[in-house]
Amino acid sequence: MIKGGSPEDVERIMARKDAEATRPIDDPAPVRDFPKYGRPLVKVAGIYGKAVAWTHMYGLIEWLDSSGKYHLGWAHSSNIKRVTAEEWKGASGL
C-alpha cells in the first residue's frame, strides 16, 4: 500500500534522490543513515542543520534556509562540527 505524503515529504524525498545522484565519487564507502529521530545537530560553514547520513569521508546534511526552503547536501567530514542543542541555531521545521 502506498501512503500519500505531504508536499514537504515529497520535497525531501526528491532532495534525497538528487543528493544521492551528486554524491562525491572519491568515497566508494556505503552510505549509512542516522535514525530519523536521532539525527545529530551539526554546523557546516555557518549553516546549522542535521546529519542525515554518512560515509567514511562525507556527511549528508539537511537544513532550511532563511525562507524555509529545504536543502540536502554533502559536506566533507572535516567541515562538519557537532553542536549541542543549546548551540544549535537551525530551523525547527527539520
Side-chain angles (χ1 to χ4, degrees):
M1 172 184 229
I2 299 174
K3 294 183 180 181
S6 69
E8 293 83 16
D9 292 339
V10 173
E11 180 182 14
R12 290 176 185 213
I13 291 169
M14 295 307 294
R16 177 67 185 253
K17 185 176 178 183
D18 291 343
E20 288 175 1
T22 60
R23 180 178 170 205
I25 60 172
D26 63 339
D27 185 10
V31 176
R32 298 178 182 172
D33 289 348
F34 285 104
K36 183 175 181 175
Y37 297 105
R39 294 180 174 163
L41 302 175
V42 296
K43 179 181 176 185
V44 181
I47 295 172
Y48 289 87
K50 292 183 180 179
V52 175
W54 80 97
T55 68
H56 290 294
M57 295 173 57
Y58 294 94
L60 185 58
I61 310 301
E62 66 177 356
W63 73 96
L64 297 174
D65 65 19
S66 58
S67 68
K69 184 171 176 6
Y70 181 79
H71 297 276
L72 193 64
W74 292 98
H76 196 275
S77 59
S78 63
N79 296 327
I80 301 170
K81 180 185 180 221
R82 280 194 186 209
V83 294
T84 65
E86 293 79 28
E87 296 172 308
W88 196 69
K89 298 174 185 165
S92 61
L94 290 176

